Amino acid sequence: MMQISSIVSKGPVLMGHHIRVSQGQRASQNKKYIIFFLIFGAIEGLTFIFNIGPLTMPDPGMHLPATYATATGQQFNFAQQTGSEGEKGASILSITGDSIYLTPTTANNVTIENILTSPQQMTKYQKDQQKEFSSHVYTRITSTDNRANQYSFLPYIPQAIGMRLGLSTDSNAWRTLQLSRLSNLVFYLAVICMAICVAPRGKPLIVLISLFPVSMFCASSIMADGMVICTCALFVCSCFALLHRATPLNIYSLLGLGILGFLVGSVKVSYFPLILLILLASPHAIRPKPRNITTIITLLCSLVASLLWTRFLAKTPGTYMQVDKYEAIHNPIKFLTILASNTVIDPVRLIAGFPLLLVWCIAALTVIAYLIRIGPTDVKTTPLMITITRRVQISVPQLVLLVLMLCLAATFAPIMMTTSDLTEMTYFTLISGFQTRYLSPLAPLLLGFLYLRRQTPHPIQTLEKASASSSVYPSPKNHHTDVHQ
């Protein structure tokens, strides 16, 4: 009896010792991955900045004026309402400033797939832009023919900081745009480093998917996608970290998680299903009822904010919007069938038709297979289940797959309703307009594959079971593995 009591009394001391060792090794791993990511991320990003013109990107007529409006404080300078077909009632943003930022003649609306596969054409575009910038004479204009308010101004803040710096120092337009791209890249690198530190496992996977050229191009341009990608990565890694957390989350951390989820869901409605990942939080971190309430409130707030912006403040292309809305309401089976078929088929078609993406997917799956193989094997338990309610349970891979399918459906729905006529489509017609960059914010969901094999029990459960059933304290090797995992 004295032996057991003395061992239990020493338990916290030994546990604290192993936790310190585990944290030291974890910090060492984080440092290694962060240094690797920063070196190759900086090289890749700067390569794009210096070899691809700042006006060569998808939708320059949206991203460039939106960045300029945010940098000059004109993001809420709404002027009038348009009555054009398909955009009835949409708000128009009036932006006043240098014509080179509002109506450049050498802007190239090119998909990232074409940018990465046509280097000679991109070099020509860059020379044309440099020629326009060198001969440009400052001309003050007011532009209302833009899509600067299609999305919220929030994802343009990182690049707007660099543009504001260039405008404040009277730099020429070319240098100002390059500073804008550089500030966006710095923000992306910093947030991904935070995601690497937060991720409980799969850090090599986070590094790999964050260095994907499509994501890095978005980060080194003035596009809003860069902030969306890195913010989604940080949020997903934070949710998986809560799955392993053994101590309660304080109110400030819970509020921060809700704000991060709101940012992910409200900036682009396609990714608001990611908020469901808050349900991954273990009962040790957040009790089930507060966790469910936090998830519901964050979902509702982000969805309402996004819909209000779209309804009252945004100007969105709506060529077939009215027709497709009518058809979707009166023929929901056809609408849902087209949506479901594209959700499954089109990403596969995109991967097969873009060799670089195919290679990256193979590399990611290889890393996943390796991480699963070296995963914990010392204690066999049932697969980790998440309790939603008393009668509803779901495994980690099932929840991740559900979130992935909902995000893809939320991505395809607006694309279909703006680019395709639903009345002329069959049940299995493929939607045009889907691009690789839409998949980048969803790539961190690959962490869910690491939970396909049986997992070790929670460190607290291991300690309690060892103290109650054994007079010998767990071996340092096994105990360290439990705490680390």
Side-chain angles (χ1 to χ4, degrees):
M1 186 62 135
M2 291 178 59
Q3 185 182 9
I4 295 176
S5 62
S6 63
I7 290 173
V8 173
S9 65
K10 292 179 182 178
V13 178
L14 292 173
M15 182 180 178
H17 170 71
H18 286 295
I19 286 178
R20 285 195 295 270
V21 173
S22 178
Q23 287 176 347
Q25 292 182 350
R26 187 181 181 88
S28 177
Q29 285 185 350
N30 289 341
K31 183 178 179 180
K32 177 178 63 176
Y33 291 124
I34 286 174
I35 292 176
F36 180 88
F37 171 72
L38 288 178
I39 292 175
F40 286 93
I43 292 174
E44 193 173 354
L46 292 175
T47 300
F48 284 128
I49 290 176
F50 291 112
N51 291 279
I52 305 295
L55 303 181
T56 301
M57 57 184 163
D59 301 320
M62 175 177 66
H63 298 296
L64 181 58
T67 302
Y68 186 80
T70 305
T72 55
Q74 301 183 69
Q75 62 268 32
F76 292 107
N77 192 19
F78 299 104
Q80 58 183 344
Q81 300 290 319
T82 178
S84 60
E85 184 65 25
E87 295 178 345
K88 192 173 183 180
S91 299
I92 293 295
L93 196 63
S94 177
I95 309 174
T96 301
D98 193 348
S99 60
I100 194 66
Y101 301 109
L102 301 177
T103 58
T105 59
T106 55
N108 307 110
N109 186 5
V110 187
T111 64
I112 301 178
E113 291 85 346
N114 289 334
I115 292 174
L116 296 177
T117 55
S118 306
Q120 294 182 349
Q121 186 65 34
M122 298 307 110
T123 302
K124 180 180 182 300
Y125 288 158
Q126 185 184 31
K127 291 180 179 179
D128 292 340
Q129 292 169 20
Q130 288 176 334
K131 185 177 180 181
E132 179 189 12
F133 277 74
S134 62
S135 60
H136 172 70
V137 178
Y138 176 84
T139 305
R140 185 179 178 84
I141 65 170
T142 298
S143 171
T144 56
D145 185 19
N146 59 71
R147 293 163 50 201
N149 56 326
Q150 179 166 334
Y151 297 116
S152 166
F153 66 93
L154 293 175
Y156 294 102
I157 292 177
Q159 51 269 46
I161 294 174
M163 181 172 286
R164 179 70 264 176
L165 178 63
L167 295 173
S168 301
T169 55
D170 293 328
S171 300
N172 58 50
W174 183 270
R175 185 176 300 172
T176 298
L177 288 176
Q178 296 295 68
L179 284 174
S180 180
R181 300 172 72 184
L182 185 61
S183 65
N184 197 21
L185 176 62
V186 170
F187 179 84
Y188 178 86
L189 296 177
V191 175
I192 293 298
C193 287
M194 295 171 60
I196 294 172
C197 292
V198 169
R201 8 177 120 159
K203 297 178 189 293
L205 183 61
I206 296 297
V207 173
L208 178 67
I209 62 180
S210 299
L211 289 175
F212 182 45
V214 172
S215 301
M216 288 304 305
F217 178 83
C218 294
S220 58
S221 68
I222 58 174
M223 299 168 60
D225 298 70
M227 180 180 179
V228 173
I229 293 169
C230 65
T231 305
C232 288
L234 179 59
F235 179 74
V236 172
C237 292
S238 299
C239 291
F240 276 102
L242 291 179
L243 179 64
H244 297 258
R245 188 179 176 90
T247 56
L249 204 65
N250 60 50
I251 186 64
Y252 301 106
S253 300
L254 185 60
L255 181 62
L257 180 67
I259 293 175
L260 185 60
F262 173 80
L263 185 62
V264 167
S266 61
V267 167
K268 203 167 185 179
V269 71
S270 302
Y271 306 116
F272 89 94
L274 288 174
I275 297 172
L276 291 173
L277 293 178
I278 297 177
L279 297 173
L280 288 172
S282 72
H284 301 283
I286 313 174
R287 297 185 67 84
K289 188 174 181 179
R291 179 201 61 191
N292 296 344
I293 292 175
T294 302
T295 305
I296 293 173
I297 292 177
T298 308
L299 275 171
L300 291 177
C301 290
S302 61
L303 185 60
V304 169
S306 180
L307 292 178
L308 288 177
W309 180 276
T310 303
R311 175 64 180 85
F312 297 105
L313 300 178
K315 177 185 177 182
T316 57
T319 309
Y320 302 102
M321 187 68 71
Q322 299 301 325
V323 176
D324 286 351
K325 281 182 179 179
Y326 180 86
E327 184 69 14
I329 293 174
H330 290 81
N331 196 349
I333 295 179
K334 179 181 179 181
F335 174 77
L336 293 175
T337 303
I338 295 174
L339 197 60
S341 61
N342 278 271
T343 300
V344 176
I345 298 173
D346 211 42
V348 177
R349 183 187 65 169
L350 182 65
I351 293 172
F354 187 27
L356 181 61
L357 179 58
L358 179 60
V359 171
W360 219 259
C361 288
I362 294 174
L365 292 176
T366 303
V367 172
I368 291 171
Y370 173 74
L371 293 174
I372 291 177
R373 183 173 179 81
I374 66 172
T377 57
D378 52 339
V379 181
K380 295 294 185 179
T381 64
T382 57
L384 188 59
M385 301 295 293
I386 302 167
T387 301
I388 308 299
T389 64
R390 291 182 179 180
R391 297 184 178 182
V392 179
Q393 286 188 330
I394 187 172
S395 68
V396 173
Q398 288 173 343
L399 178 61
V400 171
L401 183 60
L402 174 64
V403 170
L404 176 61
M405 291 296 102
L406 290 175
C407 287
L408 288 175
T411 302
F412 277 108
I415 294 176
M416 179 173 63
M417 301 186 75
T418 54
T419 63
S420 305
D421 187 350
L422 191 58
T423 59
E424 298 180 358
M425 299 174 68
T426 64
Y427 281 82
F428 297 97
T429 301
L430 294 179
I431 302 170
S432 59
F434 189 78
Q435 301 177 38
T436 308
R437 60 191 173 104
Y438 301 147
L439 295 175
S440 294
L442 304 179
L445 291 175
L446 292 173
L447 288 176
F449 282 99
L450 302 181
Y451 296 84
L452 288 174
R453 78 179 293 170
R454 293 172 176 264
Q455 306 298 327
T456 56
H458 197 278
I460 290 181
Q461 298 173 354
T462 305
L463 182 61
E464 291 174 349
K465 188 178 297 184
S467 301
S469 62
S470 175
S471 61
V472 180
Y473 198 79
S475 66
K477 180 180 179 181
N478 289 343
H479 182 66
H480 167 74
T481 302
D482 289 339
V483 174
H484 179 66
Q485 293 301 333

